[in-house]
DNA sequence: GTCTATATTTTGATAGAC
DNA sequence: GTCTATCAAAATATAGAC
């Protein structure tokens, strides 16, 4: 399934990432991982202690990747509004959902402090990163200064995570886009009154 | 687990509802349902064709309940903003997530037109119901008339669905509340300029 | 309608040969 | 490091007695 140039542990991690995204932790079996990775049972248990261990490696990498992708957009040029807009409008595989956020609905992930940690850290980081940008916008007079930057940032992250839910429910990315456009319209309305 | 006054099919449906909420479709086994309902295998397969059939009955009931709960608040008194606020601030079992929305992350539910239908219908209904209220607010001069009511409604539903994700990630309902407060602040900012 | 037995497949892993 | 048994338990039913 993967390039022969990839090592077996590497192929196992990538296969697990794909399957966790597609079917979640509970819905992903070691057998499916092995088949996807083109690795035998013995091979998987040689490199990883078991399903939780392999899932942890996969989740950590996915979390790191998501953070890097977000940072690439958020560190870009433009006003606070423009950077938030760029983040919200960035290309996404909407119908697949968020590979990090979806893990919060996995009971076994939530029950494990180790598996949940990368999820918590990533979403916390994202919210804080956005809060900094919103605060900048308030300080620069771009947004009404009375806004609570942390709350606005939470609303932004929630809109994205919930947008995936709407899109998957509707079977169409348009539902995601509608929510994003609604939020952006409200953000534009939060500019201070111009005298 | 349930009152003896409940019929066996009834107990099976209620047990399935609980387990779908807690563990999702993929994570819920017939055996777990039977134990939760205090019913034997034969009993379950006598009343229902199998796991998908029972899940369908459970999902339909949960969807209907969610709709009724939302309608009770949305049909209440007050301005458009006040009704949206009442909906967003209504008591919720935040850390358990949305029993309907969480199903969108279940690959087997999404793959089945029958199982997905109640989810799609419920979220569509909710968005349309909110859109009507937001449109009222625009028409009454409560919100800037340039707002697209459907998009604002999508943003509201997304914020709630995403709020559950943030709360479960953080292990605290406060993360949900923060997103809701952020959205409400933006909605208040979307009042037309007062001359 | 409910119960117990039985069956097939999958899950998640261990053992040990190569 | 990889492969092929092997394994106990669970998943998802069906059969047939009561």
């Amino acid at each position: 399934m993967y390039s022969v140039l990839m090592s077996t542990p590497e192929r196992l991690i990538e296969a697990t990432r794909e399957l966790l995204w597609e079917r979640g932790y509970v819905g992903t079996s070691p057998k499916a991982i092995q088949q996807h990775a083109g690795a035998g049972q013995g091979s998987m248990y040689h490199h990883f202690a078991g399903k939780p261990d392999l899932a942890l490696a996969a989740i950590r990498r996915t979390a790191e990747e998501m953070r890097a992708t977000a940072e690439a957009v958020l560190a870009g040029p433009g006003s606070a509004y423009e950077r938030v807009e760029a983040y919200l409008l960035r290309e996404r595989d909407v119908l697949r959902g968020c590979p990090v956020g979806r893990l919060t609905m996995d009971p076994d992930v939530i029950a494990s402090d180790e598996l949940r940690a990368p999820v918590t850290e990533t979403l916390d980081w994202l919210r804080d990163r956005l809060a900094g940008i919103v605060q900048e916008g308030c300080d620069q007079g771009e947004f009404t200064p009375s806004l609570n930057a942390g709350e606005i940032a939470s609303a932004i992250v929630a809109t994205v995570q919930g947008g995936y839910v709407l899109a998957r429910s509707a079977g169409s990315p348009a539902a995601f886009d509608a929510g994003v456009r609604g939020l952006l319209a409200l953000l534009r309305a939060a500019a201070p009154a111009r005298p």
Side-chain angles (χ1 to χ4, degrees), chain A:
Chain A
M1 228 74 159
Y2 293 103
S3 161
V4 203
L5 297 173
M6 254 162 101
S7 67
T8 298
E10 202 58 27
R11 275 181 289 124
L12 284 164
I13 291 177
E14 287 303 313
T16 305
R17 273 168 24 99
E18 292 268 350
L19 290 167
L20 284 182
W21 195 358
E22 177 103 7
R23 307 202 32 92
Y25 182 85
V26 168
T28 297
S29 71
K31 190 181 191 179
I33 293 171
Q34 292 149 23
Q35 289 175 338
H36 227 78
Q41 291 221 52
S43 210
M44 170 180 150
Y45 284 102
H46 173 75
H47 293 289
F48 298 93
K51 178 176 161 177
D53 186 40
L54 181 46
L56 181 57
I59 292 173
R60 281 188 175 145
R61 183 173 296 182
T62 296
E64 196 172 344
E65 194 183 87
M66 172 172 157
R67 191 171 148 153
T69 303
E71 179 62 19
V73 175
L74 293 174
S79 66
Y81 174 83
E82 283 166 349
R83 276 176 289 160
V84 169
E85 183 185 45
Y87 169 70
L88 288 171
L89 297 180
R90 83 153 219 259
E91 229 182 313
R92 288 164 199 277
D93 213 339
V94 170
L95 287 182
R96 298 186 78 187
C98 174
V100 173
R102 73 110 57 237
L103 296 171
T104 61
M105 295 304 149
D106 243 302
D108 293 2
V109 170
I110 291 300
S112 155
D113 286 344
E114 271 211 295
L115 293 179
R116 193 186 52 231
V119 175
T120 305
E121 283 160 18
T122 302
L123 293 177
D124 282 1
W125 171 85
L126 179 58
R127 187 207 49 217
D128 290 348
R129 187 71 176 85
L130 282 164
I133 293 173
V134 171
Q135 188 59 57
E136 258 183 64
C138 291
D139 295 346
Q140 308 277 320
E142 201 181 331
F143 298 133
T144 305
S146 67
L147 289 184
N148 178 317
E151 291 177 0
I152 301 301
S154 292
I156 294 170
V157 178
T159 300
V160 169
Q161 292 297 325
Y164 288 121
V165 170
L166 297 187
R168 285 175 64 90
S169 163
S172 159
F176 179 98
D177 300 338
V180 161
R181 277 200 300 274
L183 183 67
L184 285 172
L186 292 177
L187 277 172
R188 287 192 301 272
R194 248 155 276 219

